[in-house]
Amino acid sequence: MLDKIKESLLEDISYKDISADAIIDEDRMARADLIAKEEGIVCGLEVFYQSFKILDEGAKFTCSHKDGDRVYKGDKIGIVECKAQAMLLAERTGLNFLQRMSGIATMTRYMVDALGDESVSLADTRKTAPGLRVFDKYSVEVGGGKNHRYNLSDMVMLKDNHIGVAGGIRQAVEKTRAKISFSKKIELEVENLDQVREALDVGCDIIMLDNMSIGQIREAVDLIGGKALIEVSGNISPDNIGDYRGLGIDIISCGALTHSVKALDISLKNMDII
């Protein structure tokens, strides 16, 4: 985590902040308030703090909230105290992390609540910002969601291109099963009921119903009959996720949790030299 934060700080600082260096003495200290400018779920407070601490080991962050708490417009989340130059250097990077992570947590919590079905896990995907996957997936968990595979080494997921290259569902599954460890589950993406039947015939552990209608999902659930876990994916949004309540599925995977995130508006305000 710290290496990623350092990389982000270096992206914003070639060798110094020429604005802060021009007007503030190196030894001056500052204090500022972290303020929520809209309602949401706060996430990434430790990442925010470390952005300052990396530049000033003596930095302090007095915080009245924890990751996963709901904040409201005008709430003072915490107070930062550190060297004034370090505060101005770290401010944008720390807020970038905090705003993005809080936005993901907020969207996740909203969708979990809109689904309203505790028997179904709302999961993320690999559609994360390059280099930020560990932060994105943590934020989904804070928002009440679940993490799907972290990367391609975690589990087998055979999608349309895998199936096409292998020559069909049976070929893809049998070739895979011959090479992987017995401990690895096999998930297969299907697009119609005939493919659901094929997936059952070859004994897949998880069947992903991709871009199927609610009616098709109901039929697929009946066909599968508990023989495999059922994942649903494709164009699921805050507006329609409630349609998937009570269908008998196990997982909803949603790329929009991380690839279309709207940052939560949080600012560092009222900076004073102390």
Side-chain angles (χ1 to χ4, degrees):
M1 180 184 78
L2 289 178
D3 286 344
K4 291 295 183 183
I5 300 171
K6 288 176 183 177
E7 286 176 16
S8 298
L9 287 166
L10 286 171
E11 183 178 61
D12 214 23
I13 310 164
S14 296
Y15 61 99
K16 66 177 180 178
D17 178 350
I18 59 175
S19 303
D21 187 61
I23 63 172
I24 300 173
D25 293 338
E26 187 176 354
D27 61 347
R28 298 303 299 272
M29 300 293 292
R31 178 189 294 119
D33 299 329
L34 185 66
I35 305 292
K37 299 181 74 175
E38 63 179 322
E39 181 182 346
I41 305 301
V42 70
C43 179
L45 291 167
E46 181 63 22
V47 179
F48 172 80
Y49 171 44
Q50 290 299 327
S51 300
F52 296 87
K53 194 169 178 61
I54 286 169
L55 297 176
D56 177 5
E57 289 186 357
K60 297 178 182 178
F61 181 40
T62 306
C63 190
S64 57
H65 293 74
K66 63 182 185 300
D67 283 357
D69 284 352
R70 184 173 295 277
V71 295
Y72 298 89
K73 183 176 180 180
D75 280 357
K76 182 190 289 190
I77 299 170
I79 301 171
V80 179
E81 293 183 41
C82 65
K83 291 180 180 178
Q85 285 193 8
M87 184 174 293
L88 292 169
L89 285 166
E91 174 186 6
R92 185 69 269 151
T93 297
L95 286 172
N96 283 349
F97 277 114
L98 184 64
Q99 289 176 324
R100 176 179 175 83
M101 294 174 72
S102 297
I104 292 171
T106 299
M107 171 64 81
T108 304
R109 181 72 58 83
Y110 181 87
M111 291 189 70
V112 167
D113 290 345
L115 174 61
D117 189 341
E118 294 183 356
S119 69
V120 182
S121 295
L122 176 65
D124 53 28
T125 69
R126 286 169 41 248
K127 295 177 182 178
T128 54
L132 298 181
R133 182 167 294 172
V134 64
F135 303 102
D136 286 1
K137 284 186 169 285
Y138 168 75
S139 303
V140 168
E141 285 193 305
V142 167
K146 301 291 185 183
N147 292 155
H148 211 297
R149 59 179 178 167
Y150 184 80
N151 59 34
L152 295 171
S153 302
D154 276 352
M155 63 177 287
V156 174
M157 182 183 288
L158 301 174
K159 307 185 85 171
D160 53 354
N161 287 332
H162 298 99
I163 294 166
V165 169
I169 286 175
R170 179 170 293 279
Q171 295 93 320
V173 173
E174 289 181 349
K175 287 178 180 179
T176 300
R177 188 170 282 133
K179 288 192 174 183
I180 65 169
S181 166
F182 67 90
S183 64
K184 294 290 186 183
K185 291 183 178 180
I186 296 178
E187 177 167 0
L188 183 79
E189 178 187 87
V190 300
E191 298 174 349
N192 55 59
L193 296 176
D194 286 338
Q195 290 184 333
V196 171
R197 295 183 182 94
E198 287 188 76
L200 288 170
D201 286 343
V202 293
C204 292
D205 301 292
I206 307 169
I207 299 175
M208 179 201 284
L209 311 178
D210 186 46
N211 283 296
M212 287 192 180
S213 68
I214 298 298
Q216 289 175 312
I217 291 171
R218 292 186 189 278
E219 289 186 67
V221 169
D222 288 341
L223 272 175
I224 295 167
K227 298 183 182 70
L229 289 175
I230 302 171
E231 179 177 336
V232 172
S233 188
N235 296 312
I236 297 170
S237 70
D239 294 330
N240 65 20
I241 193 168
D243 297 340
Y244 296 83
R245 184 186 308 122
L247 295 179
I249 60 179
D250 300 292
I251 306 151
I252 293 174
S253 54
C254 181
L257 294 178
T258 53
H259 74 57
S260 298
V261 60
K262 175 186 176 295
L264 192 70
D265 195 358
I266 303 173
S267 292
L268 196 64
K269 307 290 284 186
N270 307 321
M271 179 177 171
D272 287 323
I273 300 297
I274 55 175

